[in-house]
Amino acid sequence: DVKVTQSSRYLVKRTGEKVFLECVQDMDHENMFWYRQDPGLGLRLIYFSYDVKMKEKGDIPEGYSVSREKKERFSLILESASTNQTSMYLCASKDRGHYGYTFGSGTRLTVV
Amino acid sequence: GIQVEQSPPDLILQEGANSTLRCNFSDSVNNLQWFHQNPWGQLINLFYIPSGTKQNGRLSATTVATERYSLLYISSSQTTDSGVYFCAARGDYKLSFGAGTTVTVRA
């Protein structure tokens, strides 16, 4: 069965810390995505990548960066965490040319 | 990007009841999907349905692309149907999600 694995289920960080959220997929998918989910807002796209070392901004990239050094791994980086980045973060991957998205279980990040 | 609106925002059902969830989208789409997020946060693809009707067990979906809406039907609801249902539409390069419908099925 295909899998997208997010390294942490719950994370608590302090304001100003640099935070790394890791996502690994085992399906050899070209496309990977980071979303954040907030009540009443649905999922909003932060960044996506369609190949190794490639990245594109989504709808809300401010305060975030990403890294994709290997095809299977897509990292989301909060350079200096702030309380308004408290949210559920979801990683997804998709095979190019196919419609199906596979999501990880999510990381609930709390910034205090 | 495409705007996606879902209604109702919340739905409480008695086990065995039927229901309809609606998704309106603002522009032409080449991809329309329905997802279910279970109470543990896992998002699962339900349907890929840019047009037409599909059925999968007790769930079915219809998209009328020319009128820019999609409907998700839940029949004979069960407690395991609880969770958040998201509609997502893609016009250009990215999938835009609606705010979701939270469904609670009571035994």
Side-chain angles (χ1 to χ4, degrees):
Chain A
D1 206 10
V2 295
K3 277 189 95 169
V4 176
T5 303
Q6 294 185 230
S7 53
S8 304
R9 187 81 176 102
Y10 298 94
L11 213 50
V12 180
K13 295 293 181 181
R14 295 196 179 278
T15 301
E17 273 192 80
K18 190 169 186 176
V19 180
F20 293 86
L21 302 184
E22 305 288 346
C23 175
V24 177
Q25 51 100 357
D26 64 0
M27 298 162 284
D28 203 36
H29 285 174
E30 289 88 0
N31 299 335
M32 295 188 75
F33 308 83
W34 275 106
Y35 289 88
R36 66 176 279 176
Q37 181 181 358
D38 299 288
L41 297 177
L43 278 70
R44 293 179 291 166
L45 182 64
I46 305 171
Y47 268 96
F48 66 101
S49 168
Y50 51 87
D51 206 345
V52 176
K53 297 191 184 295
M54 306 300 286
K55 60 184 179 183
E56 294 286 343
K57 293 179 180 180
D59 297 320
I60 51 166
E62 297 79 17
Y64 303 94
S65 62
V66 289
S67 172
R68 194 163 180 206
E69 296 297 317
K70 293 184 178 182
K71 192 175 186 180
E72 67 270 19
R73 186 181 296 270
F74 192 35
S75 303
L76 180 69
I77 304 156
L78 286 65
E79 296 291 342
S80 177
S82 64
T83 54
N84 63 13
Q85 292 178 310
T86 292
S87 187
M88 170 73 96
Y89 290 87
L90 289 158
C91 175
S93 73
K94 187 180 86 67
D95 198 11
R96 189 178 297 157
H98 291 78
Y99 69 86
Y101 284 67
T102 302
F103 280 85
S105 299
T107 295
R108 188 167 291 282
L109 173 67
T110 302
V111 182
V112 297
Chain B
I2 289 183
Q3 306 302 310
V4 180
E5 294 184 356
Q6 293 186 242
S7 60
D10 299 282
L11 196 55
I12 298 175
L13 301 171
Q14 201 62 37
E15 200 168 28
N18 303 327
S19 64
T20 301
L21 283 59
R22 187 177 178 101
C23 170
N24 294 330
F25 43 93
S26 62
D27 208 340
S28 301
V29 298
N30 55 38
N31 181 341
L32 191 290
Q33 295 184 49
W34 285 95
F35 294 84
H36 175 228
Q37 187 175 42
N38 65 25
W40 295 271
Q42 185 67 52
L43 267 164
I44 305 294
N45 280 295
L46 294 176
F47 294 102
Y48 166 72
I49 186 164
S51 64
T53 297
K54 288 186 177 179
Q55 180 152 8
N56 184 0
R58 295 180 296 100
L59 300 180
S60 63
T62 295
T63 297
V64 183
T66 53
E67 297 186 24
R68 299 181 185 167
Y69 73 88
S70 183
L71 302 174
L72 179 71
Y73 306 96
I74 306 174
S75 64
S76 304
S77 58
Q78 299 178 359
T79 55
T80 52
D81 295 329
S82 295
V84 185
Y85 290 81
F86 289 104
C87 170
R90 173 177 166 167
D92 41 26
Y93 63 91
K94 67 181 180 73
L95 206 58
S96 297
F97 283 76
T101 294
T102 300
V103 173
T104 303
V105 182
R106 292 180 172 162

